[in-house]
């Protein structure tokens, strides 16, 4: 077992310097470099791994999240006689005004001493600012089929659609009630299939139409509704 109290005394924040996102070089190899767009505001978010990228996808889909910043602060701390730098992965702001600093790590690396000391430093920093500090692993990021479904939704959800077509799909669902995608497509019989799927996926992504994205992958038999709890 690691002695967290001892480690906390070994690592101490000596400087907390706010900064813009650290420049992430687009190199290949062991560490990937990604830029992913937030569909809710078109900002580009920098990521250093696929795990971080997929976490940002969850943030973008979360209606409560209004702002995401990558590597928003530089924390200088003393550890084992040396001054070191820690750049937490994300700063997340929600519509209730809450601010969270989030570190994304594979679960297998969360018990490494060099990471635990960063977690302690991050928590100390957040406590000083009245924020929350969270560690997120693949267990939260790859829950159920959410990532597979977000792949599909983001692919079509970014395409241009006619507002009137969106209204037609939504009104048809409201009139027919709970429906499978296949049935809904047939009820929108004046619309070609490609247009229908662009519209319904955009409506699902922006949560105007509701569906269970965790239990199964999206397909023609997926049940959709206009209200939570109907599916």
């Amino acid at each position: 077992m690691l002695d967290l109290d001892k480690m906390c005394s070994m690592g101490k924040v000596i400087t907390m310097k706010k900064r813009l996102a650290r420049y992430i070089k687009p190199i290949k190899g062991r560490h990937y470099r990604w830029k992913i767009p937030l569909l809710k505001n078109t900002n580009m978010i920098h990521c250093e791994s696929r795990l971080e990228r997929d976490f940002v996808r969850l943030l973008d889909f979360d209606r409560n999240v209004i702002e995401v910043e990558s590597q928003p602060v530089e924390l200088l701390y003393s550890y084992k006689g040396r001054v070191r730098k820690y750049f937490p992965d994300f700063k997340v702001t929600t519509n209730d005004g809450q601010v969270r600093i989030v570190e994304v790590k594979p679960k297998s690396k969360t018990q490494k001493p060099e990471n635990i000391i960063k977690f302690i430093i991050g928590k100390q920093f957040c406590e000083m600012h009245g924020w929350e500090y969270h560690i997120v692993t693949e267990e939260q990021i790859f829950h159920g089929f959410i990532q597979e479904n977000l792949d599909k939704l983001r692919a079509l959800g970014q395409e241009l659609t006619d507002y009137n077509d969106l209204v037609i799909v939504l009104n048809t669902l409201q009139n027919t009630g709970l429906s499978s995608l296949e049935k809904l497509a047939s009820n929108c019989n004046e619309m070609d299939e490609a247009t229908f799927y662009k519209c319904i996926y955009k409506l699902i992504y922006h949560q105007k139409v509701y569906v269970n994205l965790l239990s199964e992958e999206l397909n023609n038999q997926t049940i959709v509704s206009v209200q939570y709890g109907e599916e």
Side-chain angles (χ1 to χ4, degrees):
M1 293 290 291
L2 293 168
D3 189 334
L4 297 185
D5 290 335
K6 182 178 179 181
M7 292 192 71
C8 193
S9 65
M10 294 167 64
K12 180 181 179 182
V13 176
I14 58 175
T15 305
M16 293 170 292
K17 178 182 176 184
K18 288 190 177 182
R19 56 177 290 149
L20 296 175
R22 176 167 60 104
Y23 177 67
I24 301 175
K25 296 180 181 179
I27 64 173
K28 297 180 180 179
R30 188 167 61 90
H31 298 291
Y32 296 97
R33 301 295 186 258
W34 306 82
K35 286 196 297 185
I36 180 173
L38 288 184
L39 300 187
K40 64 178 62 180
N41 61 18
T42 70
N43 287 347
M44 297 299 293
I45 305 301
H46 293 255
C47 306
E48 291 192 285
S49 68
R50 178 173 176 264
L51 198 61
E52 290 183 18
R53 181 202 67 177
D54 290 345
F55 175 63
V56 171
R57 289 182 175 184
L58 294 181
L59 295 178
D60 195 27
F61 189 62
D62 188 336
R63 292 187 300 172
N64 296 317
V65 172
I66 60 174
E67 186 176 6
V68 180
E69 299 176 52
S70 54
Q71 300 192 352
V73 293
E74 176 187 67
L75 305 184
L76 303 180
Y77 64 98
S78 175
Y79 179 56
K80 292 186 176 180
R82 290 180 56 191
V83 174
R84 302 168 189 264
K85 296 180 180 180
Y86 170 38
F87 300 89
D89 293 322
F90 301 105
K91 177 183 175 183
V92 180
T93 305
T94 50
N95 54 20
D96 60 0
Q98 293 294 313
V99 175
R100 296 168 177 83
I101 294 294
V102 181
E103 181 68 24
V104 177
K105 276 281 184 289
K107 187 177 180 181
S108 61
K109 296 183 178 181
T110 57
Q111 293 303 308
K112 289 189 173 183
E114 62 268 29
N115 287 329
I116 290 180
I117 190 63
K118 290 180 180 179
F119 303 157
I120 293 170
I121 297 304
K123 185 176 181 181
Q124 289 178 348
F125 172 77
C126 287
E127 288 175 348
M128 293 176 63
H129 288 75
W131 298 349
E132 295 181 3
Y133 183 80
H134 292 271
I135 302 163
V136 175
T137 72
E138 64 273 17
E139 289 185 345
Q140 293 80 45
I141 295 171
F142 298 115
H143 183 52
F145 291 90
I146 186 66
Q147 291 295 339
E148 291 87 344
N149 288 331
L150 287 181
D151 274 340
K152 297 178 181 180
L153 295 176
R154 287 179 67 92
L156 287 178
Q158 296 183 74
E159 294 195 17
L160 292 176
T161 52
D162 188 284
Y163 175 77
N164 291 325
D165 289 334
L166 292 170
V167 171
I168 289 172
V169 173
L170 188 58
N171 286 343
T172 301
L173 182 57
Q174 287 175 330
N175 291 333
T176 59
L178 184 143
S179 175
S180 68
L181 288 181
E182 184 177 54
K183 180 181 177 182
L184 182 60
S186 68
N187 287 332
C188 297
N189 49 32
E190 296 183 1
M191 186 178 298
D192 65 84
E193 186 177 89
T195 300
F196 168 77
Y197 277 98
K198 283 195 295 185
C199 289
I200 191 63
Y201 277 23
K202 177 166 285 189
L203 289 168
I204 291 172
Y205 189 84
H206 292 284
Q207 300 179 53
K208 304 300 182 182
V209 167
Y210 306 113
V211 61
N212 186 339
L213 296 175
L214 293 177
S215 63
E216 63 180 15
E217 288 194 57
L218 283 169
N219 57 60
N220 284 337
Q221 301 309 312
T222 295
I223 302 299
V224 293
S225 67
V226 293
Q227 296 292 332
Y228 282 116
E230 289 187 9
E231 54 271 17

